Amino acid sequence: MTLIADRPGPGAARPYRFPPVVRRAVAGGQVVAAHLPGQNLAVALLLLDVGAGQEPVGKEGLSGVLAKALEEGTAQRDAAAYALAVEGLGTALSTGLDWDSFQASVVIPVDRLNAAVELLAEAVRTPRLDPADVRRVRDDEATALRMDWANPGPRADAALRADLFGAQNRWGRPMHGDPESVAGLDVEDVTVFHSEWFLRPGTLIVAGDLDRIDLDALAAAAFAGTGGGPAERGGPLEVPTHNGRRIILVDRPGSVQSTLRLGHPAPHRAHPDHVPMTLAGTVLGGAFTSRLNHLLREVRGYTYGIRADFAASRRFGRFAVSSGVQTAVTAPAVVEAVGEITRTQASGVTEDELEVARSWRAGQLSVELQSPRAIASALTTLVVHDLPDDYHARLREALLSADVEQVSAAAATHLHPEALTLVIEGDAAAIRDDLQATALGDLLP
């Protein structure tokens, strides 16, 4: 064999720079944009201050049905004509929602951006909402949820959320609703929700070559026909942790596995400890090399994988562990997981563990924030959570500079192993006695 060439070595690391952020008030709404010089693709994203958190209790899943109904035509065009207009530009309308916001977006070459934003606004502001279409979308969504809820997981997730936040509160119920709540929606629910929330201007997010984009013209198209003031956001919710652990069994007779969901409330997204909390969660359960995955998968062989993280919205957050384990090892797996959370809360993290977590999180950030779509998503985070414009420019350094003392302090402050809710979805007849014997907490009926 002849060696043709030596493998090249790694190049010098280039510093990551988040693009400058541009803000302006136009046509009754706000524009937040990032300049990407030379980029031929652009993203326009209409961000409205309405998410699952604004749905009335008992109407869970309403915003999801409305989002799907936006694809069924507008006051100006039926569904086929609207689809032809969008596809004729070489793009597609994407919608999404979370607890805090609704988003509708397009990705398209810069020279077609204005036309695409006009079509985006047409769908969001003036949807047809034909009763027959709305009912069909509702029924399709309810059917999809029934199929999803037949699998392990959704019922355990719902039980955990209800116990942490209270089923009487909207944030104590599933974000996308359940089969019954969605099936119970009617056409008037959808049309009233649209008229109340979707005619407010909102924020237009733009990521692209701003030298070739007329932001004022885009805003005029996005905010045409809108009115009303900004939505009342509300402040962070004070969600107390429980006084003692509790175990909730969700019966799945005959199941050969148990689904684990362990959690407690945690701070909202804009909390100043967000970075050290993220790193503490990464060390504990946020990566393949994490403590929980190493112990329960590699050492004990109880599971194919286990994860833990802090997740947060604008008003509240939660810490949660999720996994699936063999029925026979359900109780020892829960004991081991609680023990690892307790150890991390009491002893913090090591420098070696933190170095891996810092490098991985910072490296991911630089890779993820490359495309116009990713930049637009990052701008959305700034708006939704009222973060400073230089947040992402400083985030990589904040991750890399976090030290053992900061991350260990975050673990000590924000992990509450003594207040965990332990939800186990599995064969109750096979696992109840073993779970009771662990003495980890009260076993709720």
Side-chain angles (χ1 to χ4, degrees):
M1 296 179 63
T2 301
L3 179 65
I4 303 224
D6 293 326
R7 177 182 296 176
R14 292 181 295 174
Y16 176 78
R17 293 184 178 86
F18 193 81
V21 177
V22 176
R23 289 181 184 256
R24 65 176 67 171
V26 183
Q30 298 291 320
V31 176
V32 179
H35 181 35
L36 307 178
Q39 177 61 252
N40 287 321
L41 283 179
V43 174
L45 184 152
L46 183 58
L47 179 69
L48 302 180
D49 269 331
V50 54
Q54 281 72 37
E55 295 172 346
V57 172
K59 303 292 184 181
E60 297 83 25
L62 177 55
S63 49
V65 171
L66 176 53
K68 290 294 180 66
L70 298 183
E71 302 173 8
E72 300 300 321
T74 70
Q76 294 80 23
R77 316 166 206 249
D78 63 20
Y82 184 81
L84 283 172
V86 172
E87 291 171 5
L89 293 176
T91 188
L93 178 68
S94 299
T95 59
L97 62 97
D98 53 28
W99 285 107
D100 305 309
S101 65
F102 170 85
Q103 306 171 18
S105 63
V106 290
V107 182
I108 195 163
V110 173
D111 58 0
R112 303 176 193 169
L113 184 60
N114 284 54
V117 169
E118 289 175 0
L119 286 172
L120 183 156
E122 183 180 319
V124 173
R125 310 303 191 183
T126 61
R128 182 171 294 246
L129 298 183
D130 180 87
D133 291 335
V134 172
R135 293 188 191 100
R136 176 171 47 78
V137 168
R138 174 203 61 197
D139 293 346
D140 287 348
E141 288 295 289
T143 298
L145 283 171
R146 289 189 191 99
M147 295 172 63
D148 187 41
W149 280 58
N151 298 314
R155 289 198 299 154
D157 291 330
L160 178 61
R161 178 165 291 280
D163 189 68
L164 298 187
F165 302 112
Q168 76 278 8
N169 299 314
R170 176 60 189 94
W171 49 91
R173 302 186 178 206
M175 183 169 73
H176 297 291
D178 59 40
E180 289 71 33
S181 69
V182 172
L185 298 172
D186 59 35
V187 174
E188 185 179 6
D189 293 327
V190 175
T191 56
V192 169
F193 194 72
H194 178 271
S195 64
E196 182 176 359
W197 295 103
F198 280 58
L199 299 181
R200 300 172 189 250
T203 301
L204 181 65
I205 305 289
V206 180
D209 187 344
L210 299 186
D211 290 338
R212 301 164 58 193
I213 295 173
D214 186 340
L215 292 178
D216 291 342
L218 289 183
F223 304 142
T226 62
E232 175 57 47
R233 291 186 165 193
L237 296 167
E238 296 296 329
V239 183
T241 56
H242 291 310
N243 183 21
R245 283 191 293 266
R246 57 183 69 192
I247 302 172
I248 298 174
L249 264 178
V250 178
D251 193 17
R252 193 175 182 86
S255 178
V256 298
Q257 287 193 336
S258 295
T259 298
L260 310 184
R261 297 292 188 268
L262 288 57
H264 60 65
H268 61 288
R269 174 62 177 80
H271 192 281
D273 284 348
H274 177 74
V275 167
M277 282 168 55
T278 297
L279 291 169
T282 302
V283 170
L284 175 60
F288 186 83
T289 56
S290 68
R291 290 179 174 184
L292 283 169
N293 201 60
H294 177 74
L295 177 61
L296 272 77
R297 175 191 160 106
E298 301 300 305
V299 177
R300 303 296 188 216
Y302 290 162
T303 178
Y304 284 113
I306 182 169
R307 290 291 182 266
D309 66 356
F310 289 93
S313 68
R314 185 162 56 210
R315 305 191 67 193
F316 60 87
R318 64 102 183 102
F319 167 77
V321 176
S322 61
S323 186
V325 301
Q326 304 164 50
T327 296
V329 299
T330 299
V334 174
V335 170
E336 295 277 22
V338 172
E340 201 61 58
I341 297 167
T342 302
R343 180 171 78 89
T344 302
Q345 191 271 342
S347 304
V349 303
T350 69
E351 179 59 41
D352 287 346
E353 291 173 318
L354 182 55
E355 177 56 34
V356 172
R358 282 188 303 233
S359 177
W360 182 56
R361 287 292 182 186
Q364 269 196 322
L365 186 70
S366 299
V367 171
E368 290 172 353
L369 292 178
Q370 294 293 327
S371 68
R373 170 71 78 182
I375 297 297
S377 178
L379 295 178
T380 299
T381 299
L382 299 183
V383 174
V384 171
H385 301 291
D386 294 320
L387 298 172
D389 287 353
D390 64 348
Y391 176 81
H392 289 101
R394 295 184 291 106
L395 182 54
R396 187 172 187 274
E397 181 55 36
L399 288 164
L400 291 174
S401 64
D403 59 32
V404 168
E405 289 72 23
Q406 291 173 313
V407 176
S408 295
T413 302
H414 301 297
L415 287 174
H416 302 285
E418 77 290 346
L420 284 165
T421 294
L422 315 174
V423 177
I424 296 91
E425 180 183 2
D427 188 339
I431 61 180
R432 180 184 295 275
D433 290 346
D434 288 344
L435 288 169
Q436 185 77 66
T438 65
L440 284 174
D442 295 332
L443 184 58
L444 301 184

